[in-house]
Amino acid sequence: MGIRVSASATHLAVAACVLGGLVMATPASAQSNAALSRKLVDVCIYDQYRKQGDSKGIAKRCQCAARKAGPSLTAGQISALTIGPPLTGAVRDAMYKAIAACTR
């Protein structure tokens, strides 16, 4: 038995890291906001991949959703997120509402 990670999930995780990786030249305060935004996108990607079962369109949808929902969430709510578990509570509600708006 053991854990199998599909190539799609691995590629998706790498893409999520690359998408948010252009933060090196920003000031410290902007970098922390960028790091929180990147984390929100990463958590969204994992959540949506679990729900959808493939990676088609997830990165763009999650980037859009993070831009829309991010301002309504606190830094504490975002920093408390962990990659892997499904989104829950107010963060899930805000992200799912934003995802719906991004897919219209």
Side-chain angles (χ1 to χ4, degrees):
M1 291 191 132
I3 299 173
R4 280 193 263 164
V5 176
S6 72
S8 294
T10 302
H11 289 126
L12 191 59
V14 170
C17 291
V18 170
L19 288 172
L22 302 174
V23 182
M24 300 307 268
T26 59
S29 62
Q31 192 169 17
S32 63
N33 287 338
L36 290 173
S37 177
R38 209 170 41 251
K39 184 172 187 178
L40 189 57
V41 171
D42 291 347
V43 170
C44 174
I45 287 172
Y46 275 87
D47 181 78
Q48 290 299 296
Y49 183 80
R50 178 183 296 105
K51 189 174 178 183
Q52 185 174 312
D54 66 44
S55 60
K56 186 176 180 183
I58 289 176
K60 280 188 175 184
R61 256 193 332 272
C62 285
Q63 288 172 331
C64 175
R67 282 191 304 273
K68 289 182 181 291
S72 69
L73 300 170
T74 67
Q77 286 174 305
I78 298 170
S79 62
L81 296 172
T82 56
I83 294 175
L87 291 171
T88 59
V91 174
R92 186 199 66 216
D93 296 344
M95 288 300 289
Y96 281 19
K97 183 177 179 183
I99 288 169
C102 290
T103 56
R104 290 185 199 153

